Amino acid sequence: MYLRHLPLKNSSSCLGLRIQYNIAMKKLNFKLILFFLAAVVLLVFLHLLGALRPVERIFYFAFNPVGVKLQSWSNGFNHLYNEKLNQGDLITQVSGLKEQIERLTVENAGLKKLEEENSKLRQHLNFLESGGQKKYLLANVVSREVFSGSMENHGYFIIDKGKDDGIISSLVVLNEQGAVVGKITEVEEKSSRFLLVTNSACKFAATLQNDNRTVGVTSGNLGLTVNIDYIPQVETVNIGDTAVTSGLEPFIPRGLVIGKVAKVEKGSNAIWQSVNIQPLADFDDLTIVSILIP
Amino acid sequence: MYFRLFLKLIFVVALVIIQISFISGLPLGLRELNLIIIYLVFFLEWNQAGKMIWWFLLIGFIFDIYLSVFFGFFMILWPLCFLFAGFLFNNFFTNRSLYSFLGLTFFTTIFYYLFFNLFFYFGAIFSPSKPVFFLLAKNFWLSLGNGLLVNLIAVFILFNLVNILSDRLKPVFIIKNKI
């Protein structure tokens, strides 16, 4: 048997330990401990006096930049670790946020609609009250049918007010600016149907605001424009003249704007002339309408 | 000799700076890693205790400069940790096995936490707000548990790494010579 590579200071044997301990005790004697404690007290004392400040400054000066760099790396690592740790939570959070976005989008759309409605209602009220109209009803468009049966019968809308609200047939329907949109044709208890002014079945007694105060009957033209036919050739109609209701019909007051003359058809040999009127109301944007009631 | 001393100085200072600046910013569990305890366990040269204690004074001094806790506290704490580890090493452990290293790390870490918290508990006991005794505080046990875990894992890894790279920590056997 032989002992392979057994340095005394690293020995694991009892003898080795005892020797080490004795050496250590010799080196770490009472005198040394006292000396050590005196050094600590001296350093604390010098620190309190401020005498160590230059040494401390040297340490700060030398190691602060390194410390800052290390701290930034450490924070980066911490950030990365937290990100990894929270990845599962993030996925849940993302799906939660997606749901929230969807909900808020719907809510936002609803609010936008409300805002729009509010603005339209205000406009309706403005024009109705400034015009001195005492009785009116505001109604929401609940359905629209652009094509119904034949091409001649373009455009009708269904609103959420009916007989129970005091609506009767032949009442005029206006938009938020007070322009004529159409005429009530059918009335149910809780809903009504009105035809657009551009519908060929919708007719209004109208007056052109020209020198002759030309009177005629409007009728829709292919769901796009409005015509007034049978105007005597002697009357002068200019493009841009405004067509308004004449007040000759029951329940429809005069002076409600239908549109402006866009085209005058005047044949040299014809007895009558006809004018084409561009309606003032935008029918694509109808959500709330007002109905003037007698 | 002076060059070795200088290298050792650089190493010790770097260790302290890393402990103070880098380890302290790590995630909650990892920030309990104590490089000084690991250094103490790996470089414990008890037969040179008279010299080693001055190195731990230096470590404590740098700690005291940076972590303005109570100037002098770390200058006492680290040499005490060293003496405690030395005492354990000489009376209960061999110096080369993994178990010795793990045992030293385990008990020195506990000593460090107990001393640290005891000092501040007695420091705060005279303050108007009476502190909760640290052994009854959940945080103390959590940080101690974390500290033990990360230090033991680090020592385990380092021990095996050193074993792969050198023979310094290889066990010594009395081998029967076949004649």
Side-chain angles (χ1 to χ4, degrees):
Chain A
M1 282 176 30
Y2 70 94
L3 193 68
R4 192 188 76 176
H5 181 64
L6 182 66
L8 186 62
K9 70 172 184 177
N10 292 326
S11 167
S12 58
S13 69
C14 289
L15 180 66
L17 280 176
R18 184 55 54 199
I19 293 165
Q20 275 184 32
Y21 188 69
N22 288 339
I23 293 168
M25 281 301 102
K26 272 181 194 167
K27 297 211 173 200
L28 201 69
N29 54 24
F30 183 69
K31 203 173 159 187
L32 180 79
I33 289 173
L34 260 184
F35 190 52
F36 171 81
L37 285 175
V40 172
V41 171
L42 181 71
L43 282 170
V44 173
F45 185 67
L46 288 174
H47 171 79
L48 292 175
L49 282 180
L52 284 181
R53 236 168 254 159
V55 182
E56 290 168 14
R57 274 202 200 120
I58 289 169
F59 266 100
Y60 285 132
F61 180 76
F63 300 115
N64 267 6
V66 183
V68 169
K69 198 78 192 162
L70 284 172
Q71 187 63 210
S72 87
W73 287 348
S74 163
N75 283 339
F77 182 79
N78 197 5
H79 188 70
L80 207 74
Y81 176 83
N82 283 335
E83 264 184 12
K84 287 277 175 201
L85 202 71
N86 296 332
Q87 216 164 34
D89 289 346
L90 282 174
I91 290 166
T92 321
Q93 268 182 22
V94 164
S95 70
L97 285 172
K98 271 183 184 171
E99 277 174 24
Q100 202 176 354
I101 286 170
E102 281 169 18
R103 191 168 49 76
L104 287 173
T105 308
V106 171
E107 198 179 308
N108 195 27
L111 287 172
K112 270 190 180 163
K113 191 177 152 245
L114 278 178
E115 191 187 356
E116 212 172 279
E117 274 179 13
N118 197 323
S119 143
K120 283 192 176 174
L121 285 170
R122 276 177 193 282
Q123 284 175 325
H124 273 285
L125 287 175
N126 280 346
F127 107 81
L128 288 167
E129 284 175 3
S130 65
Q133 184 64 38
K134 296 287 179 202
K135 285 186 169 183
Y136 56 86
L137 263 178
L138 292 171
N140 292 306
V141 173
V142 290
S143 172
R144 65 176 71 192
E145 248 181 66
V146 178
F147 296 108
S148 169
S150 70
M151 288 289 282
E152 286 293 298
N153 201 15
H154 280 302
Y156 72 81
F157 285 67
I158 293 170
I159 53 173
D160 63 350
K161 296 280 189 301
K163 250 182 227 166
D164 293 352
D165 304 289
I167 291 185
I168 53 171
S169 189
S170 304
L171 294 183
V172 66
V173 180
L174 309 173
N175 72 354
E176 64 269 22
Q177 276 96 34
V180 173
V181 171
K183 190 184 264 186
I184 302 284
T185 52
E186 284 173 35
V187 184
E188 304 292 332
E189 275 77 17
K190 297 284 180 193
S191 65
S192 309
R193 186 169 111 154
F194 74 85
L195 295 179
L196 287 179
V197 72
T198 52
N199 190 307
S200 56
C202 181
K203 298 188 188 302
F204 280 100
T207 304
L208 291 175
Q209 290 182 325
N210 57 359
D211 293 339
N212 306 102
R213 295 279 163 188
T214 305
V215 176
V217 176
T218 66
S219 63
N221 179 24
L222 297 170
L224 298 170
T225 53
V226 179
N227 283 347
I228 301 180
D229 298 320
Y230 309 115
I231 297 171
Q233 286 277 14
V234 290
E235 298 199 2
T236 312
V237 180
N238 300 312
I239 290 171
D241 285 345
T242 308
V244 295
T245 52
S246 64
L248 297 174
E249 280 178 277
F251 315 130
I252 296 178
R254 67 177 195 177
L256 301 170
V257 181
I258 298 169
K260 284 185 180 290
V261 174
K263 192 176 167 190
V264 181
E265 286 175 10
K266 198 175 183 179
S268 54
N269 297 323
I271 304 167
W272 311 102
Q273 57 179 329
S274 66
V275 295
N276 186 256
I277 294 163
Q278 188 63 44
L280 212 66
D282 179 8
F283 307 124
D284 294 332
D285 195 31
L286 282 179
T287 50
I288 299 170
V289 291
S290 47
I291 303 112
L292 302 183
I293 52 177
Chain B
M1 184 204 165
Y2 287 109
F3 182 68
R4 270 193 78 176
L5 204 71
F6 177 73
L7 279 182
K8 194 172 177 181
L9 179 74
I10 296 289
F11 179 71
V12 166
V13 171
L15 212 64
V16 176
I17 299 296
I18 290 170
Q19 178 69 43
I20 292 170
S21 299
F22 185 74
I23 304 289
S24 65
L26 289 177
L28 208 60
L30 289 176
R31 77 175 57 150
E32 299 294 338
L33 179 69
N34 200 321
L35 295 181
I36 310 302
I37 290 178
I38 295 168
Y39 167 77
L40 195 154
V41 169
F42 271 84
F43 293 90
L44 186 64
E45 291 180 60
W46 188 240
N47 61 335
Q48 290 185 22
K51 283 182 191 168
M52 286 293 286
I53 202 162
W54 296 108
W55 283 106
F56 283 99
L57 180 75
L58 174 72
I59 290 172
F61 179 69
I62 305 170
F63 264 87
D64 278 329
I65 288 176
Y66 274 93
L67 309 175
S68 42
V69 178
F70 173 82
F71 199 88
F73 170 69
F74 285 103
M75 283 195 284
I76 297 289
L77 173 62
W78 287 123
L80 269 181
C81 282
F82 166 70
L83 291 177
F84 177 76
F87 171 77
L88 289 179
F89 175 69
N90 276 293
N91 291 288
F92 304 103
F93 296 104
T94 61
N95 65 341
R96 282 189 165 231
S97 74
L98 173 65
Y99 304 105
S100 302
F101 276 59
L102 292 178
L104 275 178
T105 309
F106 183 83
F107 289 111
T108 312
T109 306
I110 291 175
F111 177 81
Y112 170 83
Y113 276 88
L114 283 177
F115 186 87
F116 195 96
N117 285 280
L118 208 64
F119 181 85
F120 286 103
Y121 176 73
F122 283 117
I125 208 162
F126 302 108
S127 67
S129 58
K130 295 280 177 199
V132 181
F133 186 53
F134 66 93
L135 289 176
L136 303 174
K138 188 183 159 191
N139 278 349
F140 168 75
W141 294 105
L142 273 176
S143 54
L144 177 63
N146 268 331
L148 283 173
L149 191 73
V150 290
N151 284 345
L152 289 173
I153 291 172
V155 166
F156 180 82
I157 293 168
L158 268 178
F159 184 88
N160 286 299
L161 213 69
V162 172
N163 250 342
I164 292 166
L165 299 173
S166 85
D167 289 338
R168 268 184 72 91
L169 300 175
K170 288 262 163 63
V172 177
F173 295 109
I174 296 170
I175 300 167
K176 198 175 176 183
N177 197 9
K178 287 178 185 174
I179 304 168

